[in-house]
Amino acid sequence: MRMFFLLLLASFGVLLVDASSSDVQGIYSLVQRLIPQHQNSFTFNLVEGKGDVFTISDTSGSNGAITVDCTTTSACARGLYTYVTEFGGVDIYWTGSRLNQLPSELPPVGSPVSGSAIVPYRYFFNTVTFDYTCVWWNFDQWSLELDWLALRGVNLPLAWVGYEYTLEQVFLEAGLTQADIEDYLSGPAFQAWNRFGNIQGNWGGQLPQQWVDDQYALQQQILQRMSELGMTPVMPAFTGFVPMAMADVYPNASIIRGSQWSGYPSTLTNVSFLEPMDPLFATLQKSFITKQQQNYNVTSHIYTLDQYNENNPLTNDTSYLAGVSAGTFASLRAADPEAIWMMQGWLFFSSESFWTNPVIEAFLGSVPNDGMIILDLYSEAAPQWNRTGSYFGKDWIWCELHDYGGNIGMEGNLPAVTTGPITALDYPGSTMKGMGLTMEGQEGNELVYDILLDQAWSAAPLDINTYTASWVSRRYPVNPLPAAAQEAWGILSSTVYSNEDPNTQATIKSIYELAPNLTGLIDRTGHHPTEIPYDTSTTIVPALRLLVQAVEENPELKCVPEFVYDVVDVTRQVLSNRFIDEYNTLVATYNSTYATPDTVAAAGEPLLAILSTLDSLLATNEYFLLSTWIADARSWAGNNVTYANYLEYNARNQITLWGPTGEINDYASKAWAGLVGGYYTQRWESFITYLEDSVKNETPYNSTEVADAMLDIGEHWDLEIWGQRAGETWGVTGNTWDVVNEVLGQWT
């Protein structure tokens, strides 16, 4: 059979490349890392051909060995993934790789199986993922992530780490002082928005040089691994955002002040922007790209460059905007003759009234069609490719955003994710060239993201029921797998994960994560919804009961990390939804004519009981711990306690106040043990006490007074050091199943 395949390739003019080629050595290394017991069982051959194509087959004359023939390194990785999932029944997750659970005797393929990508680009990362999720990662964590990406066929990941190292070199060469630069750069947990030109400067202390240097070293490792895995990293470029001192050094340069962002004071926003029409822009661009290439020995020609992310241009005059884009692109090509400009299309959605079609066309029109790639960032809910006629001829990528701020809430629209890309690809005149994931935070709902990357290898929309059943079988590799587990996911995939309500197309934020108030918490829509678009009693609750039934039928499931994670997550969602019911009761009790301090206190007790139970639940699982987030942050400081405390403040502030005085309060909220019990509970206790006192003293509700009290709690909590509070621990505590049974008995 293998000889037949080789002859078939030859008949189409396809030639084999030497199997020892260094282009596939990275895939052999991946096998060594993840499947060491089978490191000699796989053979990878590069073959000539168009696109990303692979064929997996049994190795001729060798029992239990597998050959993957592929046209690219990325296709090799995807071919390996197809084998381990479809034949080996194992998978890799954000919670860890399970590929080492492949059978000792590898299952045969039989008739060769081929696959091909339907788009040339499979993209990954949002600019802000590097803060909401990856900010504290070390290389071991990055290694798992990159292996996960490679196996799923991602070949175009964003590579933002270490940007400040090169930027510092450019600014120093341009005549700025180290103090000028330090005043401009933002803290580790907020660097993405400094890069976007939304914020400047810092709160909680200046960015230490050690952070800049350590991230530079980390980026060297990341880029090396990306190269080994056949990926083309999307590299940063000079955007035009500069420290305020640049105007003093270059008084004749065209430097303007940008717009205010999210209510920040002018000292922290209104970032200075060097207009691309100015010759200094091209000089700095050349300096940046040259130094970046020297620092990392990188060969990528694709550059991420966003100048107007939630930051409107000086004017919507079309000739002005055409000049901006023309100057920007000319600077890229002057520094790198093969440069391609990649930009996020988020601005066309978030500032739709500004970016009308004539304005978009003028801005994009100054760049040749083959010189730009646009990320249609929120394609599953708010696509912009359709209203712009495929971005007026530019190449673009269909992206799924879904998760804002790394929020943890169950939701998804599998019908949109499977049919949307195919519809867009087949649309007359479509210039779609890729599919990708651009979630702001990588938290939960893994099914929703897996299916899109798999859809990139299927010309027809994937069948949701069939896909989910196969996904569950791999995720819970026990024999036998109880039917109850499949039934649970059948319910979830057809309801919670098939949410077509246009008002709630994003992860659902739990209202206990919001600053307490009498109004404005429930039934929020948009991309930070709190509205629950399904009936909890007929979806989440029976799914949880079925998962518990499954573990009773086969206790081996308790040893499957992904199963335990899912049980905790579903239980978490039950409690989150029940909190809404109890909140409504509290508000109604307070507003009633018969309210007394006692009745208000009684109505508040269930809310606090839910938070206590929830914190205990989350504490039983390593993936729902605030202490992990803080420990990862502090680990970068080694034995430097002052530096570690600075990093912890950054870590705490991002997931709470998100700014010195709560500028985008609770945006990046999380359902984590320690955060629920130590922060959210404190706020709700204060709120309930305030309502009791309001009734007792017959004083009207004052929302400003409540907000001030919540801000005070946040400011004090952000300055704390983990472990100083009684009961704070660094690891898992308690028993998952005890808490789950408690929830089933009391809250379902």
PDB file of all heavy atoms in Angstrom, residues 698-721:
ATOM      1  N   GLU A 698     -33.122  53.844  57.730  1.00  0.00           N
ATOM      2  CA  GLU A 698     -34.089  54.476  56.828  1.00  0.00           C
ATOM      3  C   GLU A 698     -33.418  55.528  55.935  1.00  0.00           C
ATOM      4  O   GLU A 698     -33.943  56.609  55.705  1.00  0.00           O
ATOM      5  CB  GLU A 698     -35.242  55.094  57.622  1.00  0.00           C
ATOM      6  CG  GLU A 698     -36.045  54.078  58.424  1.00  0.00           C
ATOM      7  CD  GLU A 698     -37.219  54.702  59.152  1.00  0.00           C
ATOM      8  OE1 GLU A 698     -37.300  55.945  59.207  1.00  0.00           O
ATOM      9  OE2 GLU A 698     -38.062  53.944  59.663  1.00  0.00           O
ATOM     10  N   THR A 699     -32.240  55.185  55.442  1.00  0.00           N
ATOM     11  CA  THR A 699     -31.534  56.066  54.513  1.00  0.00           C
ATOM     12  C   THR A 699     -31.643  55.502  53.105  1.00  0.00           C
ATOM     13  O   THR A 699     -31.619  54.283  52.909  1.00  0.00           O
ATOM     14  CB  THR A 699     -30.048  56.177  54.895  1.00  0.00           C
ATOM     15  OG1 THR A 699     -29.479  54.859  54.971  1.00  0.00           O
ATOM     16  CG2 THR A 699     -29.889  56.869  56.234  1.00  0.00           C
ATOM     17  N   PRO A 700     -31.789  56.374  52.106  1.00  0.00           N
ATOM     18  CA  PRO A 700     -31.937  55.886  50.729  1.00  0.00           C
ATOM     19  C   PRO A 700     -30.650  55.250  50.210  1.00  0.00           C
ATOM     20  O   PRO A 700     -29.552  55.579  50.676  1.00  0.00           O
ATOM     21  CB  PRO A 700     -32.296  57.147  49.944  1.00  0.00           C
ATOM     22  CG  PRO A 700     -31.724  58.269  50.748  1.00  0.00           C
ATOM     23  CD  PRO A 700     -31.849  57.843  52.185  1.00  0.00           C
ATOM     24  N   TYR A 701     -30.816  54.367  49.276  1.00  0.00           N
ATOM     25  CA  TYR A 701     -29.662  53.703  48.656  1.00  0.00           C
ATOM     26  C   TYR A 701     -28.834  54.726  47.895  1.00  0.00           C
ATOM     27  O   TYR A 701     -29.351  55.521  47.105  1.00  0.00           O
ATOM     28  CB  TYR A 701     -30.139  52.611  47.704  1.00  0.00           C
ATOM     29  CG  TYR A 701     -29.028  51.827  47.054  1.00  0.00           C
ATOM     30  CD1 TYR A 701     -28.416  50.777  47.716  1.00  0.00           C
ATOM     31  CD2 TYR A 701     -28.593  52.131  45.764  1.00  0.00           C
ATOM     32  CE1 TYR A 701     -27.400  50.054  47.125  1.00  0.00           C
ATOM     33  CE2 TYR A 701     -27.582  51.408  45.160  1.00  0.00           C
ATOM     34  CZ  TYR A 701     -26.985  50.372  45.845  1.00  0.00           C
ATOM     35  OH  TYR A 701     -25.978  49.661  45.256  1.00  0.00           O
ATOM     36  N   ASN A 702     -27.523  54.696  48.109  1.00  0.00           N
ATOM     37  CA  ASN A 702     -26.609  55.642  47.469  1.00  0.00           C
ATOM     38  C   ASN A 702     -25.571  54.845  46.688  1.00  0.00           C
ATOM     39  O   ASN A 702     -24.629  54.293  47.263  1.00  0.00           O
ATOM     40  CB  ASN A 702     -25.934  56.516  48.531  1.00  0.00           C
ATOM     41  CG  ASN A 702     -25.095  57.629  47.924  1.00  0.00           C
ATOM     42  OD1 ASN A 702     -24.422  57.433  46.915  1.00  0.00           O
ATOM     43  ND2 ASN A 702     -25.139  58.798  48.546  1.00  0.00           N
ATOM     44  N   SER A 703     -25.754  54.768  45.375  1.00  0.00           N
ATOM     45  CA  SER A 703     -24.868  53.942  44.547  1.00  0.00           C
ATOM     46  C   SER A 703     -23.433  54.457  44.558  1.00  0.00           C
ATOM     47  O   SER A 703     -22.479  53.672  44.456  1.00  0.00           O
ATOM     48  CB  SER A 703     -25.391  53.876  43.113  1.00  0.00           C
ATOM     49  OG  SER A 703     -25.457  55.173  42.546  1.00  0.00           O
ATOM     50  N   THR A 704     -23.242  55.769  44.682  1.00  0.00           N
ATOM     51  CA  THR A 704     -21.890  56.325  44.737  1.00  0.00           C
ATOM     52  C   THR A 704     -21.170  55.877  45.996  1.00  0.00           C
ATOM     53  O   THR A 704     -19.982  55.509  45.963  1.00  0.00           O
ATOM     54  CB  THR A 704     -21.937  57.862  44.685  1.00  0.00           C
ATOM     55  OG1 THR A 704     -22.569  58.270  43.470  1.00  0.00           O
ATOM     56  CG2 THR A 704     -20.541  58.454  44.768  1.00  0.00           C
ATOM     57  N   GLU A 705     -21.891  55.881  47.104  1.00  0.00           N
ATOM     58  CA  GLU A 705     -21.310  55.441  48.362  1.00  0.00           C
ATOM     59  C   GLU A 705     -20.918  53.967  48.293  1.00  0.00           C
ATOM     60  O   GLU A 705     -19.850  53.573  48.781  1.00  0.00           O
ATOM     61  CB  GLU A 705     -22.316  55.678  49.490  1.00  0.00           C
ATOM     62  CG  GLU A 705     -21.771  55.434  50.883  1.00  0.00           C
ATOM     63  CD  GLU A 705     -22.776  55.766  51.973  1.00  0.00           C
ATOM     64  OE1 GLU A 705     -23.683  56.579  51.701  1.00  0.00           O
ATOM     65  OE2 GLU A 705     -22.664  55.198  53.081  1.00  0.00           O
ATOM     66  N   VAL A 706     -21.780  53.162  47.670  1.00  0.00           N
ATOM     67  CA  VAL A 706     -21.474  51.738  47.509  1.00  0.00           C
ATOM     68  C   VAL A 706     -20.241  51.555  46.625  1.00  0.00           C
ATOM     69  O   VAL A 706     -19.333  50.776  46.945  1.00  0.00           O
ATOM     70  CB  VAL A 706     -22.681  50.988  46.917  1.00  0.00           C
ATOM     71  CG1 VAL A 706     -22.296  49.553  46.550  1.00  0.00           C
ATOM     72  CG2 VAL A 706     -23.840  50.981  47.898  1.00  0.00           C
ATOM     73  N   ALA A 707     -20.200  52.282  45.504  1.00  0.00           N
ATOM     74  CA  ALA A 707     -19.058  52.160  44.590  1.00  0.00           C
ATOM     75  C   ALA A 707     -17.757  52.559  45.276  1.00  0.00           C
ATOM     76  O   ALA A 707     -16.710  51.928  45.071  1.00  0.00           O
ATOM     77  CB  ALA A 707     -19.294  53.022  43.352  1.00  0.00           C
ATOM     78  N   ASP A 708     -17.797  53.605  46.084  1.00  0.00           N
ATOM     79  CA  ASP A 708     -16.597  54.043  46.804  1.00  0.00           C
ATOM     80  C   ASP A 708     -16.118  52.958  47.769  1.00  0.00           C
ATOM     81  O   ASP A 708     -14.907  52.723  47.913  1.00  0.00           O
ATOM     82  CB  ASP A 708     -16.885  55.334  47.567  1.00  0.00           C
ATOM     83  CG  ASP A 708     -17.029  56.535  46.644  1.00  0.00           C
ATOM     84  OD1 ASP A 708     -16.613  56.436  45.475  1.00  0.00           O
ATOM     85  OD2 ASP A 708     -17.568  57.565  47.101  1.00  0.00           O
ATOM     86  N   ALA A 709     -17.079  52.301  48.428  1.00  0.00           N
ATOM     87  CA  ALA A 709     -16.712  51.233  49.369  1.00  0.00           C
ATOM     88  C   ALA A 709     -16.071  50.064  48.625  1.00  0.00           C
ATOM     89  O   ALA A 709     -15.096  49.461  49.106  1.00  0.00           O
ATOM     90  CB  ALA A 709     -17.945  50.769  50.131  1.00  0.00           C
ATOM     91  N   MET A 710     -16.598  49.741  47.448  1.00  0.00           N
ATOM     92  CA  MET A 710     -16.048  48.636  46.664  1.00  0.00           C
ATOM     93  C   MET A 710     -14.645  48.968  46.144  1.00  0.00           C
ATOM     94  O   MET A 710     -13.756  48.112  46.111  1.00  0.00           O
ATOM     95  CB  MET A 710     -16.978  48.299  45.494  1.00  0.00           C
ATOM     96  CG  MET A 710     -18.359  47.833  45.938  1.00  0.00           C
ATOM     97  SD  MET A 710     -18.279  46.450  47.110  1.00  0.00           S
ATOM     98  CE  MET A 710     -19.715  46.808  48.141  1.00  0.00           C
ATOM     99  N   LEU A 711     -14.458  50.216  45.742  1.00  0.00           N
ATOM    100  CA  LEU A 711     -13.135  50.632  45.287  1.00  0.00           C
ATOM    101  C   LEU A 711     -12.126  50.542  46.423  1.00  0.00           C
ATOM    102  O   LEU A 711     -10.989  50.087  46.226  1.00  0.00           O
ATOM    103  CB  LEU A 711     -13.187  52.063  44.745  1.00  0.00           C
ATOM    104  CG  LEU A 711     -11.843  52.680  44.327  1.00  0.00           C
ATOM    105  CD1 LEU A 711     -11.169  51.857  43.234  1.00  0.00           C
ATOM    106  CD2 LEU A 711     -12.046  54.124  43.867  1.00  0.00           C
ATOM    107  N   ASP A 712     -12.538  50.936  47.613  1.00  0.00           N
ATOM    108  CA  ASP A 712     -11.645  50.861  48.770  1.00  0.00           C
ATOM    109  C   ASP A 712     -11.233  49.413  49.050  1.00  0.00           C
ATOM    110  O   ASP A 712     -10.062  49.131  49.320  1.00  0.00           O
ATOM    111  CB  ASP A 712     -12.345  51.458  49.993  1.00  0.00           C
ATOM    112  CG  ASP A 712     -11.428  51.508  51.210  1.00  0.00           C
ATOM    113  OD1 ASP A 712     -10.421  52.235  51.172  1.00  0.00           O
ATOM    114  OD2 ASP A 712     -11.722  50.803  52.193  1.00  0.00           O
ATOM    115  N   ILE A 713     -12.198  48.496  48.955  1.00  0.00           N
ATOM    116  CA  ILE A 713     -11.885  47.073  49.147  1.00  0.00           C
ATOM    117  C   ILE A 713     -10.879  46.608  48.096  1.00  0.00           C
ATOM    118  O   ILE A 713      -9.900  45.918  48.401  1.00  0.00           O
ATOM    119  CB  ILE A 713     -13.167  46.228  49.088  1.00  0.00           C
ATOM    120  CG1 ILE A 713     -14.049  46.501  50.314  1.00  0.00           C
ATOM    121  CG2 ILE A 713     -12.830  44.738  48.991  1.00  0.00           C
ATOM    122  CD1 ILE A 713     -15.422  45.851  50.244  1.00  0.00           C
ATOM    123  N   GLY A 714     -11.117  47.012  46.848  1.00  0.00           N
ATOM    124  CA  GLY A 714     -10.224  46.610  45.765  1.00  0.00           C
ATOM    125  C   GLY A 714      -8.821  47.143  45.927  1.00  0.00           C
ATOM    126  O   GLY A 714      -7.830  46.424  45.716  1.00  0.00           O
ATOM    127  N   GLU A 715      -8.701  48.402  46.293  1.00  0.00           N
ATOM    128  CA  GLU A 715      -7.373  48.997  46.444  1.00  0.00           C
ATOM    129  C   GLU A 715      -6.585  48.315  47.562  1.00  0.00           C
ATOM    130  O   GLU A 715      -5.370  48.095  47.421  1.00  0.00           O
ATOM    131  CB  GLU A 715      -7.518  50.496  46.723  1.00  0.00           C
ATOM    132  CG  GLU A 715      -7.999  51.287  45.509  1.00  0.00           C
ATOM    133  CD  GLU A 715      -8.225  52.756  45.800  1.00  0.00           C
ATOM    134  OE1 GLU A 715      -8.508  53.091  46.975  1.00  0.00           O
ATOM    135  OE2 GLU A 715      -8.124  53.571  44.863  1.00  0.00           O
ATOM    136  N   HIS A 716      -7.252  47.989  48.642  1.00  0.00           N
ATOM    137  CA  HIS A 716      -6.562  47.308  49.733  1.00  0.00           C
ATOM    138  C   HIS A 716      -6.214  45.864  49.363  1.00  0.00           C
ATOM    139  O   HIS A 716      -5.114  45.385  49.660  1.00  0.00           O
ATOM    140  CB  HIS A 716      -7.425  47.335  51.008  1.00  0.00           C
ATOM    141  CG  HIS A 716      -7.390  48.638  51.726  1.00  0.00           C
ATOM    142  ND1 HIS A 716      -8.220  49.691  51.389  1.00  0.00           N
ATOM    143  CD2 HIS A 716      -6.612  49.084  52.751  1.00  0.00           C
ATOM    144  CE1 HIS A 716      -7.961  50.717  52.186  1.00  0.00           C
ATOM    145  NE2 HIS A 716      -6.989  50.379  53.014  1.00  0.00           N
ATOM    146  N   TRP A 717      -7.134  45.170  48.692  1.00  0.00           N
ATOM    147  CA  TRP A 717      -6.895  43.769  48.332  1.00  0.00           C
ATOM    148  C   TRP A 717      -5.734  43.657  47.344  1.00  0.00           C
ATOM    149  O   TRP A 717      -4.924  42.730  47.437  1.00  0.00           O
ATOM    150  CB  TRP A 717      -8.161  43.158  47.742  1.00  0.00           C
ATOM    151  CG  TRP A 717      -8.063  41.674  47.545  1.00  0.00           C
ATOM    152  CD1 TRP A 717      -8.334  40.701  48.445  1.00  0.00           C
ATOM    153  CD2 TRP A 717      -7.650  40.999  46.335  1.00  0.00           C
ATOM    154  NE1 TRP A 717      -8.123  39.461  47.897  1.00  0.00           N
ATOM    155  CE2 TRP A 717      -7.705  39.608  46.607  1.00  0.00           C
ATOM    156  CE3 TRP A 717      -7.253  41.429  45.073  1.00  0.00           C
ATOM    157  CZ2 TRP A 717      -7.374  38.655  45.646  1.00  0.00           C
ATOM    158  CZ3 TRP A 717      -6.916  40.475  44.124  1.00  0.00           C
ATOM    159  CH2 TRP A 717      -6.980  39.102  44.410  1.00  0.00           C
ATOM    160  N   ASP A 718      -5.640  44.604  46.419  1.00  0.00           N
ATOM    161  CA  ASP A 718      -4.574  44.552  45.421  1.00  0.00           C
ATOM    162  C   ASP A 718      -3.185  44.680  46.041  1.00  0.00           C
ATOM    163  O   ASP A 718      -2.189  44.236  45.457  1.00  0.00           O
ATOM    164  CB  ASP A 718      -4.770  45.665  44.383  1.00  0.00           C
ATOM    165  CG  ASP A 718      -5.867  45.342  43.384  1.00  0.00           C
ATOM    166  OD1 ASP A 718      -6.447  44.246  43.473  1.00  0.00           O
ATOM    167  OD2 ASP A 718      -6.153  46.196  42.521  1.00  0.00           O
ATOM    168  N   LEU A 719      -3.105  45.281  47.211  1.00  0.00           N
ATOM    169  CA  LEU A 719      -1.815  45.481  47.871  1.00  0.00           C
ATOM    170  C   LEU A 719      -1.431  44.338  48.797  1.00  0.00           C
ATOM    171  O   LEU A 719      -0.336  44.340  49.365  1.00  0.00           O
ATOM    172  CB  LEU A 719      -1.839  46.797  48.671  1.00  0.00           C
ATOM    173  CG  LEU A 719      -1.912  48.083  47.836  1.00  0.00           C
ATOM    174  CD1 LEU A 719      -2.128  49.285  48.746  1.00  0.00           C
ATOM    175  CD2 LEU A 719      -0.654  48.263  46.991  1.00  0.00           C
ATOM    176  N   GLU A 720      -2.320  43.377  48.945  1.00  0.00           N
ATOM    177  CA  GLU A 720      -2.031  42.255  49.831  1.00  0.00           C
ATOM    178  C   GLU A 720      -0.968  41.332  49.223  1.00  0.00           C
ATOM    179  O   GLU A 720      -0.698  41.364  48.016  1.00  0.00           O
ATOM    180  CB  GLU A 720      -3.303  41.459  50.118  1.00  0.00           C
ATOM    181  CG  GLU A 720      -4.317  42.205  50.974  1.00  0.00           C
ATOM    182  CD  GLU A 720      -5.544  41.355  51.286  1.00  0.00           C
ATOM    183  OE1 GLU A 720      -5.460  40.113  51.131  1.00  0.00           O
ATOM    184  OE2 GLU A 720      -6.581  41.929  51.677  1.00  0.00           O
ATOM    185  N   ILE A 721      -0.393  40.495  50.080  1.00  0.00           N
ATOM    186  CA  ILE A 721       0.559  39.467  49.660  1.00  0.00           C
ATOM    187  C   ILE A 721      -0.055  38.113  49.976  1.00  0.00           C
ATOM    188  O   ILE A 721      -0.500  37.874  51.096  1.00  0.00           O
ATOM    189  CB  ILE A 721       1.911  39.623  50.391  1.00  0.00           C
ATOM    190  CG1 ILE A 721       2.490  41.025  50.147  1.00  0.00           C
ATOM    191  CG2 ILE A 721       2.884  38.540  49.944  1.00  0.00           C
ATOM    192  CD1 ILE A 721       2.755  41.354  48.698  1.00  0.00           C
TER     193      ILE A 721
END
